[in-house]
Amino acid sequence: MSSAWKSFARAWLPPAARRLVRRWTQPGGYAGDYASWAEARRQGRGYEDTAILAKAVAAARAVRDCQAAFERDTVLFHEPSIHGPLLAGLLRAAALTAGRLHVVDFGGALGSVWWQHRAWLEGLAGVTWEVVEQAHFVAAGQREFERGPLRFRDSLDACAAEPARSLLLLSSVLPYLETPHALIADVARRGFRHIIIDRTGFVRGRGDRLTVQQVPPAIYEASYPCWFFEREKLLRPLNAGYRVVAEWPSFDVADIAADFRGLLLERRTR
């Protein structure tokens, strides 16, 4: 466990949460340097597995029904906790939009980030939280978890939030997309007011690396392609229109030469 992770955990997580996160990040790991997504995908199975959705729904129900404080990647946490840098980014965005927070949570499962931080967002003038997900997650979300500001959409185009006044959240999703650079280019054109890229792996060196991630058995039995990015290359489409206003180490860990980071980007004003 890295010294950066230890410092972050001591600062932001209670002891029970730290124990759960250690279990959640170990063992498992990342292997390979694949030439194509198809080649990496042949090595495992991904989020389309129905058993994974079933476990995600069960975990989200536990949080919804107050049997757990929050969940992350189907792992239940029973003590309230925040992801401090992420929450700070959300509150900064709200402060710059008259206390109103419009979040488009791309790849946000069944609203994990919203459920974890909702108590700290209740004092804002207004909140909308739209999760963009795969069709089977959207169906489950709309059936069981739409309440208050939480809604589920199957594409960015289906979101009601106006990008110019919204924050796009990309938390632990870019590494699991076949074409993440195409999404970043699309995002740059849409002109979101703020962008948070969180829990994303960056290589120490140059050039993206495509691995296969073995999920820790304590979470579920699965493995799937996972990107680690060259930071400069990933952010290049955003450089002209955005500036990085904050950056932080993530609590995820890698057993390869890479680091997980979070970034808050803000659209430049002309």
Side-chain angles (χ1 to χ4, degrees):
M1 186 177 294
S2 70
S3 59
W5 154 248
K6 290 178 181 177
S7 298
F8 181 89
R10 284 194 297 267
W12 295 107
L13 297 179
R18 293 201 294 270
R19 289 193 296 270
L20 281 171
V21 173
R22 282 196 294 269
R23 185 187 71 176
W24 171 61
T25 55
Q26 298 171 357
Y30 306 87
D33 190 357
Y34 293 91
S36 70
W37 184 265
E39 181 184 356
R41 187 168 180 175
R42 284 194 293 270
Q43 306 305 310
R45 58 184 175 132
Y47 283 126
E48 68 276 5
D49 192 310
T50 56
I52 296 174
L53 174 61
K55 189 170 184 186
V57 168
R61 285 174 181 158
V63 176
R64 179 198 64 192
D65 298 339
C66 300
Q67 297 168 1
F70 67 99
E71 62 85 21
R72 185 184 296 124
D73 292 349
T74 78
V75 177
L76 293 176
F77 295 79
H78 295 280
E79 296 180 20
S81 180
I82 61 169
H83 180 10
L86 171 60
L87 179 59
L90 296 174
L91 294 177
R92 174 183 172 87
L96 296 175
T97 50
R100 298 188 175 274
L101 181 64
H102 307 271
V103 175
V104 175
D105 186 358
F106 191 93
L110 295 172
S112 301
V113 175
W114 158 251
W115 290 108
Q116 180 181 357
H117 297 94
R118 66 192 187 280
W120 287 270
L121 302 174
E122 289 176 348
L124 296 177
V127 179
T128 59
W129 197 287
E130 297 182 281
V131 174
V132 178
E133 259 294 355
Q134 300 173 86
H136 55 305
F137 272 82
V138 171
Q142 291 177 342
R143 184 175 62 249
E144 295 198 44
F145 302 107
E146 284 200 344
R147 58 174 60 184
L150 186 60
R151 297 293 181 270
F152 295 87
R153 315 296 187 195
D154 60 7
S155 69
L156 287 175
D157 290 333
C159 291
E162 179 187 345
R165 298 192 302 117
S166 302
L167 179 148
L168 176 68
L169 176 59
L170 301 168
S171 179
S172 192
V173 62
L174 291 174
Y176 304 105
L177 300 178
E178 182 174 0
T179 56
H181 296 287
L183 175 65
I184 290 295
D186 179 43
V187 165
R189 290 190 293 269
R190 291 175 185 268
F192 286 93
R193 181 69 180 85
H194 293 90
I195 300 171
I196 292 180
I197 299 173
D198 197 23
R199 299 182 57 203
T200 298
F202 294 98
V203 292
R204 299 172 196 157
R206 301 192 64 82
D208 295 342
R209 177 175 173 181
L210 178 57
T211 69
V212 170
Q213 179 185 2
Q214 183 67 48
V215 177
I219 300 179
Y220 45 67
E221 296 288 342
S223 59
Y224 30 72
C226 179
W227 289 102
F228 286 84
F229 300 104
E230 178 188 336
R231 186 181 187 279
E232 180 182 346
K233 179 181 176 183
L234 182 69
L235 299 182
R236 190 173 297 139
L238 301 172
N239 286 340
Y242 291 85
R243 63 188 183 98
V244 176
V245 296
E247 185 168 351
W248 55 88
S250 180
F251 45 76
D252 302 83
V253 294
D255 55 355
I256 63 174
D259 300 294
F260 285 90
R261 307 288 293 174
L263 304 97
L264 170 64
L265 298 98
E266 195 167 278
R267 196 176 65 240
R268 298 181 188 275
T269 57
R270 294 181 174 84

